[in-house]
């Protein structure tokens, strides 16, 4: 029989979703804050892996030891390796076709600008070394009837069925741990559908976080039926309501777990010129008091395709004197 102390300890499982989500979350002070909360509120925190795909046992062990030794958090595998050919085929079908076609169709129905850009990039047939797989969106993903809401609805339902979401290891962990809350770090990743399918059967409360600012109009439909949806700001709240049809009472503005700490932290601010040891900024950057500056932040090669046209546009406007005109 459990002691009174153990009964009071609550359990939370956090599913980052993939490596990028983990990098965003765990490179920020969020992890230290979680550690403090776990001690103060008597909460046991479980971290479920770091990638959508199974990771090597060596990599998992090193991460497990690191989290448990430094942050007092229990690290569990995100999912098990699929051993049978059938389970591997179903996993491949879900991750590499069903999820992608659902994303394509959702973006096509809503006519998102980013989706148009991806289709244009796909037509260019640029060498693979300049692109990620997520940049390529061939037309067959929308065949037939790419704007059919009925077909999209059928695909999403199929992604949540026992056939496509069945994962013995996820079921085993959730059943044994019996968490009070399942927190999804990315409510648009395929793995989230698996966890939600099992959690609902076990009556576990589920909250999901939108991973980053542009995903609601780029990364396809969110996992339906969560108890709470966490967003950064009012804009994302509106996008979740309008495009994803989530009820207002289920949406909570919680800020950005990656960036809010840096934005609101006033005690550790440093002058950037001191931080980078720039002794004379004006001389080093050839500036004078009458200079007019345009700050242009370039992108990585696979993300900044077509940036030269932006620079050309800026140069044209400079030549035409448009940036000298003052607005009333």
């Amino acid at each position: 029989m459990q002691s009174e102390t153990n009964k009071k300890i609550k359990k939370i499982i956090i599913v980052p979703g993939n490596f990028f989500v983990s990098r965003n979350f765990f490179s920020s002070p969020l992890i230290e804050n979680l550690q403090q909360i776990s001690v103060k509120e008597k909460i046991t925190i479980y971290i479920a892996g770091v990638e959508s795909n199974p990771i090597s046992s060596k990599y998992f062990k090193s991460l497990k030891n690191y989290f448990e030794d430094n942050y007092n958090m229990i690290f569990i595998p995100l999912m098990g390796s699929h051993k049978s050919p059938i389970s591997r085929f179903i996993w491949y079908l879900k991750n590499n076709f069903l999820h992608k076609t659902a994303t394509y169709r959702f973006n096509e129905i809503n006519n998102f600008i980013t989706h148009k850009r991806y289709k244009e990039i796909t037509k260019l047939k640029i060498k693979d070394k300049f692109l990620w797989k997520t940049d390529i969106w061939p037309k067959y993903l929308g065949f037939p009837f790419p704007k059919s809401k009925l077909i999209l609805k059928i695909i999403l339902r199929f992604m949540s069925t026992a056939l496509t979401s069945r994962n013995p290891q996820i079921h085993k962990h959730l059943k044994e741990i019996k968490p009070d809350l399942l927190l999804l770090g990315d409510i648009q990743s395929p793995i989230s559908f698996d966890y939600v399918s099992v959690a609902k059967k076990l009556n576990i409360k589920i909250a999901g976080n939108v991973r980053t600012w542009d995903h609601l109009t780029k990364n396809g439909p969110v996992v339906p039926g969560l108890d709470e949806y966490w967003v950064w700001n009012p804009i994302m709240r509106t996008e979740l309501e309008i495009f994803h049809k989530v009820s207002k009472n289920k949406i909570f503005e919680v800020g950005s777990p990656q960036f809010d700490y840096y934005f609101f932290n006033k005690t550790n601010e440093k002058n950037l010129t001191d931080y980078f040891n720039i002794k004379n900024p004006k001389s080093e950057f050839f500036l004078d008091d009458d200079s007019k500056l345009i700050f242009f932040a370039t992108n990585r090669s696979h993300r900044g395709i077509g940036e030269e046209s932006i620079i050309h546009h800026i140069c044209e406007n400079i030549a035409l004197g448009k940036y000298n005109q003052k607005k009333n």
Side-chain angles (χ1 to χ4, degrees), residues 173-189:
H173 283 308
L174 290 180
K175 194 171 183 180
E176 288 180 355
I177 296 170
K178 296 178 181 177
D180 298 278
L181 175 67
L182 173 66
L183 175 57
L184 303 173
D186 186 349
I187 57 175
Q188 292 164 288
S189 67

Side-chain angles (χ1 to χ4, degrees), residues 33-216:
N33 292 338
L34 284 174
Q35 183 185 22
Q36 293 171 11
I37 292 171
S38 68
V39 175
K40 183 179 179 182
E41 303 296 335
K42 294 183 178 179
I43 297 173
T44 302
I45 296 178
Y46 296 81
I47 306 294
V50 294
E51 294 187 9
S52 296
N53 300 325
I55 60 176
S56 68
S57 57
K58 182 180 178 181
Y59 187 24
F60 174 79
K61 187 176 180 180
S62 64
L63 288 169
K64 177 179 173 67
N65 293 338
Y66 178 80
F67 272 80
E68 292 180 359
D69 293 343
N70 293 279
Y71 297 108
N72 193 33
M73 295 180 186
I74 301 171
F75 213 62
I76 59 176
L78 184 68
M79 58 185 287
S81 298
H82 297 282
K83 297 179 180 179
S84 72
I86 294 176
S87 63
R88 283 198 297 270
F89 172 75
I90 292 173
W91 183 89
Y92 183 88
L93 177 68
K94 180 177 181 178
N95 285 266
N96 292 283
F97 180 72
L98 290 177
H99 183 258
K100 285 187 175 181
T101 189
T103 301
Y104 186 99
R105 290 174 180 278
F106 181 82
N107 293 346
E108 187 77 19
I109 289 168
N110 289 288
N111 203 30
F112 293 138
I113 294 174
T114 307
H115 182 60
K116 290 181 179 179
R117 175 180 174 272
Y118 282 149
K119 289 198 296 183
E120 289 170 359
I121 290 173
T122 303
K123 288 179 183 178
L124 294 175
K125 297 181 180 179
I126 299 169
K127 291 181 180 180
D128 291 344
K129 68 177 182 179
F130 294 114
L131 299 171
W132 285 346
K133 289 182 179 179
T134 51
D135 294 324
I136 306 298
W137 291 94
K139 280 187 175 181
Y140 71 77
L141 291 171
F143 180 83
F145 311 117
K147 291 185 179 291
S148 170
K149 294 181 180 180
L150 176 61
I151 293 177
L152 175 61
K153 188 176 182 180
I154 292 171
I155 292 171
L156 290 175
R157 283 193 176 181
F158 186 58
M159 286 180 67
S160 300
T161 61
L163 177 64
T164 56
S165 297
R166 184 177 177 274
N167 190 294
Q169 187 157 304
I170 292 175
H171 189 274
K172 178 176 177 288
H173 283 308
L174 290 180
K175 194 171 183 180
E176 288 180 355
I177 296 170
K178 296 178 181 177
D180 298 278
L181 175 67
L182 173 66
L183 175 57
L184 303 173
D186 186 349
I187 57 175
Q188 292 164 288
S189 67
I191 193 68
S192 296
F193 285 84
D194 294 5
Y195 270 87
V196 169
S197 178
V198 177
K200 283 186 175 181
K201 292 177 183 177
L202 298 175
N203 295 316
I204 297 169
K205 185 174 182 178
I206 313 166
N209 177 66
V210 179
R211 176 178 146 192
T212 192
W213 65 274
D214 64 341
H215 278 198
L216 292 176

Side-chain angles (χ1 to χ4, degrees), residues 258-273:
Q258 298 101 305
F259 307 120
D260 274 4
Y261 175 86
Y262 303 104
F263 183 77
F264 293 112
N265 180 24
K266 303 298 181 183
T267 58
N268 295 325
E269 284 187 354
K270 292 183 179 180
N271 187 306
L272 291 179
T273 57

Side-chain angles (χ1 to χ4, degrees), residues 270-287 295:
K270 292 183 179 180
N271 187 306
L272 291 179
T273 57
D274 293 337
Y275 182 81
F276 289 106
N277 195 26
I278 302 173
K279 295 180 180 179
N280 192 334
K282 289 186 178 181
S283 173
E284 186 159 342
F285 298 111
F286 306 101
L287 305 176
F295 179 74

